[in-house]
Amino acid sequence: MRDYDEATSFLGDWGPFQLTIFFLLSASTIPNGFNGMSVMFLAATPEHRCLVPDSANLSQAWSNASIPWEERDGQRVQSRCWRYRLDILTNYSARGLMPGVHVNVSNIEKEKCLDGWHYDQDVYQSTVVTEWDIVCDNDWKGPLTSSLFFAGVLTGSFVSGQLSDSFGRKKILFATMAIQTGFSIVQVFSTSWEMFAILFLIVGMGQISNYVAAFILGSEILGKSARILFSTLGVCIFFAIGYMILPLFAFFLRDWRTLLLALTVPGLLCVPLWWIIPESPQWLVTQGRIEEAEAIIRKAAKQNKVPAPAVIFKTAEETKQRHIRRYTILDLIRTHNIRIITILTIMFWLIVSIGYFGISLNTPNLNGDPFLNCFLLAAIEVPSYIIAWQLLRHVPRRYSMCGTMLLGGIVLLLIQLVPQSLHILSTVMVMVGKLGVTAAFSMAYVYTAELYPTVIRNMGVGIGSMSSRIGSVISPYFVYLGAYNRLLPYILMGSLTVIMGLLVLFFPETFGRPLPENVDQTQNVKGLCCTKKSEKDHENSEELKNGIILMTTKL
């Protein structure tokens, strides 16, 4: 990349060409923000109880007494999944008997909701849950819906990089945009939960693939300083903007099909970008398509109003073959030091992903307005990214990661002490918890990449990223526990986050140290002290930050 940067340095860093690419590629991630979290509204579960059909001919008194009462979260509420046997109630009603007067209602035999459910429509007109009765005995389909989407993300993350290496960044970017948009439109017309869930898996594959393709394309087209800002803030801030737009759409569109269609339409606005965003010149050079790469750079030079040299990219006449040892995934556990780092890395990525997605998807279970809560939890990501960016520049890695994880975990644990009546305080604490977890999540790529030596760095980051995908698949089941106790998800996520925040201190410190080139050097990257960066070390560190994918794990 340094040879490419040197060859294109005459373009400058922030000309009209770079500004156009920066904002268009960043803006292309906005749909990822609201599509990635849309399931919290599409598959929301409103309050519900067993339906008592008019054909039962119950008196008003018996109709009111037809649903048993139970205790939930310390409050006495009507049962969601049981009713008293209608044939018995019909008999009592016909005989003129009164509940609580002539009959002890609690002694009447119960039955399941044989005639379906009555759903409260104060918040949602319809959702996937109400459409196909994904409640009670079928409530396991709720978290599975979210998990299938994230399983698609897991699958897409495996294939997107290979496809873009083979067919080009631009083609894969727009092809996966088409997959996400096209299958989302088809999803609007789903006739069953099974159809919806399968399509959601495919949408997840397209969603992460176009996000990664946009990131790679921007990182390769933009110059060094623009690339750093694009990687650390550009795509992440615009992702958060999309996330913040989601509750606005959901507030005005309470029907899930209408909402999904509205969230899909903005993807069509990306079509004109095909004629504006070029292919990656760097990728073209690696494919031997030098003339095409130079044509793009010359067009950029014209747009920036700078002269281009007669020859931009030099081709080597002869490639020297070197015998280099091939490293495999087994090298991640070959030595004791690397093995411990790998185990901690897997645990960290898994837990921070569960925390991030668990908090985000649990938004509907918070007290208060779900749309406002979603907006606030989305908006808190913006300062999280800025804080993470500053921490990466000035604070040792272990303390940065430990501090943000402990902040998030301790606050989540303290939520259980807040009285239910103080729901505003609970929401504020969840926001602070998410700020900490998001900041830790956004620093994960940098720290992981610095921990591993060059020869196995890509595999190290890859195993961590894969662990985060697994965490996102698991996270809906943490949210599912909230149906039994609203505090249980926070207790579990907070405990895991605090434990991992302490375990982070066992990682070697990498801040201000040269990047390790081989496994032996990795064993020496230890200690609490930080040495001053040399000019070369600083350059290496900056190059590494060019490869940050702060929120690729988000869908």
Side-chain angles (χ1 to χ4, degrees):
M1 185 175 288
R2 290 181 185 175
D3 293 338
Y4 174 84
D5 286 341
E6 184 179 351
T8 59
S9 60
F10 68 92
L11 289 175
D13 282 333
W14 286 108
F17 172 75
Q18 289 91 342
L19 288 172
T20 300
I21 297 300
F22 181 95
F23 284 107
L24 289 182
L25 283 178
S26 295
S28 73
T29 65
I30 290 178
N32 297 75
F34 49 68
N35 283 321
M37 296 298 178
S38 62
V39 69
M40 72 176 70
F41 294 112
L42 296 176
T45 304
E47 282 299 320
H48 54 278
R49 62 181 184 275
C50 291
L51 178 65
V52 178
D54 295 336
S55 59
N57 292 322
L58 297 180
S59 65
Q60 187 62 45
W62 280 108
S63 179
N64 293 339
S66 60
I67 306 299
W69 290 80
E70 61 186 21
E71 189 169 324
R72 190 185 315 133
D73 290 332
Q75 296 183 344
R76 189 168 171 78
V77 296
Q78 287 185 312
S79 175
R80 293 172 174 172
C81 302
W82 294 92
R83 70 185 184 188
Y84 294 116
R85 278 185 53 181
L86 286 191
D87 57 337
I88 297 176
L89 300 187
T90 301
N91 180 41
Y92 287 153
S93 179
R95 292 166 55 188
L97 302 177
M98 294 295 292
V101 178
H102 305 106
V103 179
N104 185 350
V105 178
S106 61
N107 292 332
I108 300 175
E109 188 178 349
K110 299 175 185 178
E111 64 182 4
K112 294 184 178 181
C113 302
L114 304 179
D115 297 294
W117 287 262
H118 171 79
Y119 295 97
D120 183 78
Q121 293 187 328
D122 289 344
V123 180
Y124 307 104
Q125 183 179 342
S126 72
T127 69
V128 173
V129 170
T130 65
E131 182 91 8
W132 294 297
D133 291 332
I134 306 176
V135 292
C136 297
D137 289 344
N138 288 322
D139 63 355
W140 56 272
K141 294 180 180 179
L144 181 58
T145 303
S146 302
S147 291
L148 285 173
F149 175 83
F150 290 117
V153 171
L154 174 62
T155 306
S157 64
F158 278 128
V159 301
S160 58
Q162 299 174 16
L163 290 175
S164 64
D165 285 343
S166 301
F167 300 102
R169 318 310 194 198
K170 179 178 177 179
K171 289 181 180 178
I172 297 304
L173 170 63
F174 286 93
T176 51
M177 277 184 182
I179 290 173
Q180 176 179 285
T181 303
F183 280 93
S184 291
I185 293 175
V186 176
Q187 202 177 16
V188 173
F189 303 98
S190 299
T191 57
S192 65
W193 172 79
E194 289 77 11
M195 177 180 176
F196 178 90
I198 292 172
L199 290 172
F200 215 21
L201 184 145
I202 299 173
V203 169
M205 293 175 60
Q207 198 263 5
I208 187 63
S209 298
N210 72 62
Y211 187 93
V212 173
F215 171 82
I216 295 174
L217 184 57
S219 298
E220 293 181 346
I221 292 179
L222 297 173
K224 187 174 182 179
S225 64
R227 183 188 307 137
I228 294 172
L229 195 60
F230 175 79
S231 303
T232 55
L233 291 180
V235 290
C236 299
I237 297 296
F238 278 84
F239 179 95
I241 291 173
Y243 189 179
M244 287 187 280
I245 291 173
L246 170 62
L248 182 65
F249 275 85
F251 179 79
F252 289 104
L253 304 172
R254 306 295 181 97
D255 172 71
W256 76 267
R257 293 182 191 271
T258 307
L259 173 60
L260 181 56
L261 184 61
L263 295 176
T264 302
V265 169
L268 299 175
L269 301 178
C270 295
V271 173
L273 300 183
W274 173 267
W275 290 276
I276 302 176
I277 297 175
E279 180 56 272
S280 164
Q282 188 173 347
W283 179 80
L284 291 171
V285 169
T286 63
Q287 303 299 306
R289 296 157 63 177
I290 305 299
E291 293 182 0
E292 295 178 56
E294 288 199 349
I296 292 172
I297 298 301
R298 293 185 190 283
K299 185 177 179 180
K302 184 177 180 181
Q303 190 173 348
N304 285 358
K305 297 180 180 180
V306 295
V311 178
I312 299 176
F313 300 112
K314 297 179 180 180
T315 58
E317 297 180 358
E318 181 179 341
T319 302
K320 296 182 179 180
Q321 299 294 328
R322 294 182 300 171
H323 295 286
I324 303 176
R325 176 192 165 188
R326 290 189 175 274
Y327 288 83
T328 68
I329 196 169
L330 293 178
D331 287 289
L332 293 177
I333 57 174
R334 192 171 301 279
T335 68
H336 177 73
N337 187 67
I338 291 290
R339 184 160 54 248
I340 297 300
I341 290 176
T342 299
I343 292 172
L344 289 174
T345 297
I346 291 173
M347 291 174 60
F348 174 81
W349 280 88
L350 183 72
I351 291 173
V352 77
S353 180
I354 289 174
Y356 175 82
F357 288 103
I359 295 172
S360 301
L361 296 176
N362 198 50
T363 302
N365 294 331
L366 289 173
N367 291 317
D369 186 275
F371 307 104
L372 178 61
N373 290 339
C374 179
F375 175 81
L376 293 175
L377 289 179
I380 199 66
E381 292 198 4
V382 176
S384 293
Y385 299 139
I386 296 174
I387 290 172
W389 178 48
Q390 291 298 320
L391 288 174
L392 286 172
R393 296 179 60 190
H394 303 295
V395 182
R397 305 292 188 245
R398 295 188 311 155
Y399 302 146
S400 299
M401 303 295 278
C402 176
T404 52
M405 291 285 280
L406 288 180
L407 171 66
I410 292 173
V411 171
L412 292 178
L413 284 174
L414 292 177
I415 290 175
Q416 61 186 305
L417 303 179
V418 179
Q420 195 166 350
S421 58
L422 300 178
H423 60 84
I424 295 179
L425 178 59
S426 297
T427 302
V428 171
M429 294 181 71
V430 173
M431 289 176 61
V432 175
K434 188 175 185 188
L435 182 144
V437 172
T438 302
F441 204 178
S442 61
M443 293 186 288
Y445 270 95
V446 178
Y447 194 22
T448 304
E450 290 176 342
L451 285 169
Y452 286 98
T454 303
V455 292
I456 56 173
R457 181 171 295 130
N458 193 49
M459 287 186 288
V461 175
I463 199 73
S465 181
M466 185 185 70
S467 300
S468 78
R469 308 289 196 267
I470 296 173
S472 67
V473 173
I474 296 172
S475 62
Y477 291 94
F478 279 73
V479 178
Y480 179 64
L481 295 174
Y484 301 95
N485 186 307
R486 69 180 186 87
L487 295 175
L488 193 54
Y490 295 119
I491 294 173
L492 291 176
M493 290 186 292
S495 300
L496 290 173
T497 304
V498 167
I499 292 171
M500 194 62 239
L502 296 174
L503 290 177
V504 164
L505 295 174
F506 288 94
F507 275 123
E509 183 54 70
T510 62
F511 181 68
R513 297 174 182 267
L515 298 179
E517 294 292 333
N518 54 57
V519 175
D520 291 335
Q521 290 179 353
T522 304
Q523 294 173 340
N524 296 326
V525 182
K526 299 177 182 178
L528 298 173
C529 299
C530 301
T531 58
K532 186 176 180 180
K533 287 185 181 180
S534 67
E535 183 176 349
K536 181 173 180 58
D537 296 342
H538 179 73
E539 184 178 354
N540 284 342
S541 180
E542 289 299 311
E543 283 298 315
L544 176 60
K545 291 172 186 172
N546 295 344
I548 301 171
I549 309 178
L550 288 185
M551 295 305 294
T552 297
T553 50
K554 294 187 198 149
L555 325 250

